Amino acid sequence: MALSEPAELQPVVAPGGDHLISLIDEISYVSPPSPMLSQINDIPPEQFCNGDNRPPDCGPNCMCTHKVDIPLNAIVEVVLVDEVQQENLSHPFHLHGHAFHVIGMGRSPDSTVKKINLRHTLDLDRRGLLNRQFNLPPLKDTIAVPNNGYVVLRFRADNPGYWLFHCHFQFHIVIGMNLVVHIGTHADLPPVPPNFPRCGNHIPPIKYN
């Protein structure tokens, strides 16, 4: 997700109709094979993608480890747009590692628009119609994106690491409505402790009769 632009929340059926996936910016999150915090160098670079860095063969419903890199101490604005428009369903989005200010929330001020989408939201923002309130905005770590609406969030990226940003419906987490906000660089993190467990270290003893 390009955090300077609205993100689409869009569950779809994968090609072939065999299973359901959820998308943020047409990307369905797949967990990496190793923990990013302690084994980032063990993860192939092609495992990662985002709205600005999509593999050429990714297709319309990309499946990868959705990661957005943010400089340490940057002020980040996130605009989430609900394009699903399921009646009585508002996605509760949660950010790990940070709290954020909710500076805007609502639906389109254009009464002729029945279903909001990314293009319409960008147009509202260009025309100054995406409502933002900077006077004592509430501080939260979870916010429900209104059905057929949008939310505008801001936070200072002052906590380095790899932080999950996801819908808090368990089913939506499982089917990919997540991304990782990577704050800072690996040099901003404390070193991995000596002999820290790694994926594959724990091999239980197997006894044969």
Side-chain angles (χ1 to χ4, degrees):
M1 175 173 64
L3 293 186
S4 60
E5 296 182 355
E8 302 167 82
L9 314 179
Q10 187 179 29
V12 299
V13 177
D18 57 343
H19 64 289
L20 189 72
I21 63 174
S22 278
L23 307 172
I24 300 177
D25 278 357
E26 298 183 340
I27 297 172
S28 183
Y29 183 83
V30 176
S31 295
S34 301
M36 287 176 272
L37 194 62
S38 60
Q39 291 180 242
I40 189 65
N41 293 327
D42 294 342
I43 304 173
E46 58 271 18
Q47 174 79 27
F48 300 104
C49 73
N50 56 49
D52 298 322
N53 178 29
R54 294 170 61 89
D57 59 347
C58 204
N61 300 331
C62 201
M63 299 182 72
C64 66
T65 301
H66 193 172
K67 178 172 70 73
V68 179
D69 299 318
I70 303 295
L72 186 62
N73 290 316
I75 301 297
V76 182
E77 178 172 291
V78 182
V79 182
L80 295 173
V81 181
D82 173 40
E83 288 197 341
V84 181
Q85 296 148 8
Q86 287 182 258
E87 188 175 356
N88 299 322
L89 176 64
S90 297
H91 297 277
F93 259 73
H94 174 61
L95 175 62
H96 289 242
H98 296 78
F100 49 75
H101 289 283
V102 181
I103 62 170
M105 175 186 286
R107 295 185 171 89
S108 175
D110 187 342
S111 60
T112 65
V113 175
K114 301 303 180 186
K115 292 186 176 182
I116 197 170
N117 58 35
L118 178 63
R119 181 176 297 178
H120 176 66
T121 306
L122 288 172
D123 182 60
L124 290 176
D125 205 18
R126 280 190 290 266
R127 293 189 286 149
L129 298 177
L130 205 63
N131 183 44
R132 290 177 174 84
Q133 295 291 335
F134 297 103
N135 184 26
L136 299 176
L139 188 66
K140 295 179 174 289
D141 63 16
T142 307
I143 189 68
V145 183
N147 165 262
N148 197 24
Y150 67 87
V151 168
V152 185
L153 318 172
R154 282 193 185 182
F155 66 96
R156 182 182 292 276
D158 56 2
N159 191 5
Y162 299 86
W163 302 107
L164 196 63
F165 186 42
H166 62 93
C167 176
H168 228 297
F169 290 135
Q170 189 68 34
F171 176 58
H172 290 177
I173 295 172
V174 171
I175 62 176
M177 194 176 284
N178 323 283
L179 62 82
V180 167
V181 179
H182 175 211
I183 306 297
T185 68
H186 217 61
D188 296 314
L189 299 172
V192 178
N195 301 317
F196 191 76
R198 298 171 60 84
C199 285
N201 277 169
H202 177 67
I203 302 176
I206 300 175
K207 297 180 180 180
Y208 298 96
N209 293 330

